[in-house]
Every structure is written in C-alpha cells, then in structure tokens.
Amino acid sequence: QVRLEESGGGSVQAGGSLRLSCAVSRYTTTNNCMAWFRQVDGKERKGVAAIYNRGGLTYYADSVKGRFTISQDNIKYTVYLQMNNLKPEDTGAYYCAHDPGGTSCILGNFAGFGDWGQGTQVTVSS
C-alpha cells in the first residue's frame, strides 16, 4: 500500500500563494497518476489537478487553470501543488491521491484513485 502525507496548508488572503506537498512512501508502478482533490464541508471531493508520471502530462479543473501548477519530483517522492492568486472559493481540505495504473490521467478524469492522504486545510479569506 502507498502512504501519502500532505503538508503546506494554511490561511492566506485572497491573491496570495501556497505550495502544498505530498510525500509518497513509494511508487508501485512507473505509470502512476497523482492528483490533488479539494473537499468542502464534508461534501464530495473534487479533482483539482493531476499529473501522469510517464511523460509528465498534467490536467486541471477549469476553476484553477492558469493559477495552480502540479509537479512531481520522483527523486524526492513528492508531489507539489503550487497555488497562486488564491480565491476564497479555493478554501477547503486538500487531499493527495494515487492511481497506480495511471488510468485516471490517460482518460483525463478524476476517477480511479485508491490511495489517499489525510488532507491539509487551506483557508482563503477575502
């Protein structure tokens, strides 16, 4: 099983920036898909950004395009989410997720993730 641990959350004013980190215990495949999800008030988690380990293909939710950047450092076993120009609607608990088969990235959706971290809270005030 892959363990994921998020860090980097906090409180920031609108327009500010944060960088989230996800430490990955190990990769079981070389074609995995890593992603960040956001959950608000216990509602359904929604995908924010994803990255395919093979080739570095990335995709984003429309609401964060141009503001968020997902990246992956395979030497450090860490996935990052750089969040710029934050808005109050970006507030929520952010979760790192892992899909060992990479299907989620290949299909360009946010389904198929089986490993999750505990989450880190991001609060953006206006």
Side-chain angles (χ1 to χ4, degrees):
Q1 185 178 1
V2 174
R3 296 191 306 276
L4 308 173
E5 182 173 357
E6 303 93 338
S7 62
S11 297
V12 65
Q13 289 190 325
S17 298
L18 284 173
R19 188 177 80 158
L20 306 182
S21 298
C22 173
V24 185
S25 61
R26 65 191 184 104
Y27 290 121
T28 56
T29 64
T30 58
N31 60 335
N32 60 77
C33 182
M34 299 296 299
W36 287 94
F37 284 71
R38 177 172 62 227
Q39 186 177 35
V40 181
D41 295 333
K43 298 178 182 177
E44 179 185 4
R45 294 177 186 177
K46 295 189 176 180
V48 173
I51 185 167
Y52 188 39
N53 191 38
R54 180 166 291 180
L57 176 70
T58 59
Y59 66 98
Y60 299 89
D62 289 341
S63 62
V64 305
K65 285 180 181 177
R67 301 188 298 121
F68 290 12
T69 303
I70 187 170
S71 60
Q72 187 172 22
D73 185 331
N74 288 331
I75 296 176
K76 295 182 178 179
Y77 284 76
T78 304
V79 180
Y80 302 99
L81 183 67
Q82 178 66 45
M83 305 185 295
N84 296 328
N85 191 21
L86 283 160
K87 303 177 180 181
E89 51 264 41
D90 295 321
T91 294
Y94 282 73
Y95 294 87
C96 180
H98 170 252
D99 168 15
T103 304
S104 305
C105 283
I106 295 171
L107 296 178
N109 60 33
F110 287 103
F113 292 91
D115 298 306
W116 297 85
Q118 295 300 306
T120 185
Q121 179 69 31
V122 171
T123 303
V124 185
S125 58
S126 57

